[in-house]
Amino acid sequence: MNARSWAAALRQWRGPSRHFFKDLLGGGSAVIDGVSTDATADLEPFNSDWMRKYKGHTKLVIKPASTEELSKALKFCNDEMLAVVPQGGNSGLVGGSVPVYDEIVISTSRMNKTRSFDPVSGVLVVDAGCILETVDHFLAERGHIFPLDLGAKGSCQIGGNVATNAGGLRLLRYGSLHGTVLGLEVVLPDGTVMDDLTTLRKNNTGYDLKQLFIGGEGTLGVITGVSIHCPQRSQAVNVAFFGLESFEKVQEAYREAKSQLSEILSAFELMDGQSQELVHHVTKKKRPLEGEHPFYCLVETSGSNAEHDSEKLQNFLEHVMEKEIVADGVQAQDESQIQSLWSWREGIPECLGHWGGVYKYDVSIPLSDLYKLVEDTRARLNSAGLIGNEDEQPVVAVVGYGHMGDSNLHLNVATRRFDKAVEEMLEPFVYEWIAKRNGSISAEHGLGLQKKPYIGYSRSETMIRLMKQIKTLFDPVSPEARLER
């Protein structure tokens, strides 16, 4: 939905259409006008991503409160050839939700109503701007659970989650949003509303068009409503945390977990020793285990019988320790300990940013090679003399963690500052490494600005051409898709 630069938008703003958005959306915070007034401070959160890596220069943010308002706003922008960028919670990691240049930002933050919930079917219908954590609390009060959990749940929005096909911590148990989302309401670039907000789990009537918008990153339209199937919340949740001496042992533990915990296994998270050392360094918290290990795993089970599930997890832990797959482990005894153990996994992203910048690569790799990318990247940066404790060495550490059950690795390079020498060592090296192993350069979060030049490492020329044709079909005024910018 890029049409032309802000220079054109500025002319429109000063002309007869100057008051269009204020007349449409009302006064107050619905429109942040940085054209006729100095609103730099108010615009800053919309121009910068949370990693402080990408920065746009928008002078105008609009916040429609309904699908109708958003439809009228998009139609106006389309007719007047004004470039826009949709933005939810702005918690993405690839620069996909901030302006490339000076586009008008369309924020969905005021579209935050729960439209309906059926406690029998478990189908929830919400506005796109609803906060993930707020929605999950709403469901918890009704005995259900949202089939997605993220570290950014306190700020990310449901529409953005769907637009980036977020995976998160519950995918192992509940699957991806391609399966759990039942219907969508989307405003297309010309303002047309595509109402496919069905609550049916089965609807085999023609093409399943909603799938184009799940993971489409807002390039084909702006999601305004989501219908999603939410499972019954498990009454019994148990967590174990253990240390292992090699990645081979990690793979053995995962096989045993699938075999012994099967129907109640809800998460199997991987963390390397360096990531846990950095969390300990920043938080000063007491470690869950006495000794230090090269690898750690967190296993969560969710079921209906607390005593049965706890015993099953305890038996699993004893088994893998007896077979010397696991070196040491602990099982949470109450909710407080469960949250404490999870904090060692969920606290990693925030702690990595303690020194300055972080280069993040959220990728999918066949399990057997999953951690080798971390080792090879660490060795590459070490050989270049970029890792160390001195200020002139920009890299603090190279760590790996992620969703073992999804073959999803988070390769993170914690730095004292963003540095061109580091970037040149990382890219395209990381993408070439992944392509050789038939992996994906984007497991979650999408392409955004960071990965758009590298899509060819994961998609064929035929698939890229088809994507461009689809983009042109939906947005003929702006034939340049994100892939072509």
Side-chain angles (χ1 to χ4, degrees):
M1 281 177 279
N2 264 347
R4 62 182 179 185
S5 71
W6 179 252
L10 189 58
R11 288 194 296 272
Q12 288 289 342
W13 185 257
R14 288 174 173 167
S17 60
R18 172 174 177 170
H19 299 292
F20 174 82
F21 293 115
K22 290 184 178 179
D23 291 342
L24 172 65
L25 305 178
S29 62
V31 177
I32 302 177
D33 171 13
V35 178
S36 59
T37 61
D38 183 5
T40 304
D42 293 332
L43 292 168
E44 177 60 25
F46 301 92
N47 273 318
S48 301
D49 72 318
W50 78 275
M51 291 197 305
R52 305 181 302 278
K53 186 177 181 182
Y54 300 97
K55 185 173 178 63
H57 303 280
T58 189
K59 294 293 184 180
L60 178 63
V61 175
I62 62 173
K63 303 178 184 179
S66 68
T67 301
E68 181 182 7
E69 287 183 354
L70 198 151
S71 172
K72 290 179 179 178
L74 264 186
K75 183 180 188 306
F76 176 81
C77 292
N78 190 74
D79 291 346
E80 301 298 329
M81 301 281 284
L82 305 180
V84 304
V85 57
Q87 187 176 105
N90 200 16
S91 58
L93 302 179
V94 291
S97 58
V98 294
V100 180
Y101 303 109
D102 45 19
E103 302 95 304
I104 297 171
V105 171
I106 300 181
S107 169
T108 55
S109 59
R110 294 178 67 224
M111 303 180 66
N112 54 16
K113 295 180 177 60
T114 298
R115 302 190 188 184
S116 66
F117 176 66
D118 181 1
V120 178
S121 66
V123 176
L124 172 75
V125 182
V126 294
D127 284 352
C130 289
I131 301 295
L132 174 57
E133 189 171 49
T134 302
V135 171
D136 197 46
H137 286 166
F138 170 87
L139 291 167
E141 294 172 355
R142 293 155 179 80
H144 286 71
I145 189 171
F146 199 83
L148 171 71
D149 188 20
L150 301 171
K153 55 194 168 192
S155 59
C156 66
Q157 298 177 10
I158 302 299
N161 296 152
V162 175
T164 56
N165 190 26
L169 303 169
R170 294 175 180 163
L171 190 141
L172 177 63
R173 179 65 174 269
Y174 301 119
S176 80
L177 293 174
H178 278 295
T180 55
V181 170
L182 304 179
L184 293 176
E185 177 185 78
V186 183
V187 178
L188 303 181
D190 65 356
T192 301
V193 178
M194 188 195 85
D195 185 357
D196 186 28
L197 208 55
T198 178
T199 58
L200 304 174
R201 296 190 70 181
K202 290 186 175 180
N203 185 3
N204 247 352
T205 314
Y207 299 127
D208 191 3
L209 294 179
K210 71 175 182 292
Q211 299 296 348
L212 289 173
F213 301 92
I214 301 174
E217 300 183 67
T219 59
L220 302 180
V222 182
I223 296 172
T224 54
V226 177
S227 169
I228 188 165
H229 179 253
C230 302
Q232 198 81 22
R233 187 173 288 265
S234 298
Q235 298 301 307
V237 177
N238 294 278
V239 169
F241 186 98
F242 45 87
L244 310 96
E245 297 306 309
S246 69
F247 186 66
E248 287 68 34
K249 296 291 186 184
V250 171
Q251 294 176 76
E252 289 183 51
Y254 179 51
R255 285 198 300 267
E256 293 292 338
K258 289 194 295 180
S259 173
Q260 296 190 35
L261 303 174
S262 55
E263 78 283 356
I264 61 171
L265 182 63
S266 54
F268 194 105
E269 296 293 301
L270 165 69
M271 301 147 284
D272 66 8
Q274 288 205 29
S275 71
Q276 297 302 278
E277 172 58 33
L278 295 182
V279 173
H280 175 68
H281 175 84
V282 173
T283 65
K284 310 300 182 186
K285 294 191 302 184
K286 187 179 184 297
R287 293 175 181 270
L289 305 177
E290 290 297 327
E292 297 182 24
H293 306 275
F295 295 93
Y296 297 87
C297 289
L298 183 148
V299 172
E300 180 189 80
T301 64
S302 303
S304 58
N305 188 315
E307 185 177 347
H308 168 268
D309 294 353
S310 178
E311 182 180 355
K312 199 166 186 178
L313 182 58
Q314 182 64 38
N315 290 338
F316 160 75
L317 193 54
E318 291 175 356
H319 172 75
V320 291
M321 290 181 71
E322 287 174 3
K323 292 188 67 175
E324 297 184 346
I325 297 173
V326 166
D328 191 13
V330 63
Q331 183 173 342
Q333 300 302 308
D334 54 36
E335 179 63 25
S336 175
Q337 290 185 16
I338 287 176
Q339 295 303 318
S340 177
L341 291 179
W342 264 113
S343 71
W344 286 88
R345 164 60 182 87
E346 293 189 304
I348 296 173
E350 182 177 354
C351 290
L352 290 178
H354 174 76
W355 288 268
V358 185
Y359 292 95
K360 292 176 175 286
Y361 298 91
D362 194 316
V363 300
S364 288
I365 305 168
L367 270 180
S368 58
D369 287 330
L370 191 71
Y371 194 72
K372 186 168 174 47
L373 175 58
V374 181
E375 295 172 332
D376 288 355
T377 302
R378 187 181 293 141
R380 179 176 173 84
L381 293 176
N382 250 326
S383 65
L386 295 172
I387 304 178
N389 298 321
E390 305 300 325
D391 286 342
E392 60 268 21
Q393 295 170 301
V395 179
V396 176
V398 179
V399 307
Y401 62 100
H403 316 300
M404 185 75 179
D406 313 335
S407 297
N408 179 189
L409 173 73
H410 303 323
L411 167 67
N412 281 203
V413 179
T415 65
R416 295 177 175 83
R417 58 192 172 275
F418 290 115
D419 189 285
K420 191 67 176 177
V422 175
E423 292 178 18
E424 291 176 351
M425 293 298 289
L426 290 172
E427 299 175 10
F429 166 77
V430 170
Y431 303 124
E432 292 172 345
W433 193 101
I434 292 168
K436 290 176 183 176
R437 292 157 180 82
N438 296 316
S440 170
I441 67 169
S442 179
E444 302 174 312
H445 301 290
L447 296 172
L449 295 177
Q450 177 186 349
K451 298 180 180 180
K452 70 180 182 67
Y454 305 106
I455 186 174
Y457 287 103
S458 288
R459 296 297 193 189
S460 68
E461 291 183 6
T462 298
M463 296 183 75
I464 295 172
R465 184 175 69 253
L466 288 172
M467 290 182 197
K468 291 178 179 179
Q469 291 172 353
I470 291 171
K471 168 63 178 174
T472 302
L473 175 67
F474 278 85
D475 194 7
V477 171
S478 171
E480 305 83 22
R482 184 177 305 251
L483 308 174
E484 297 178 274
R485 288 185 198 167

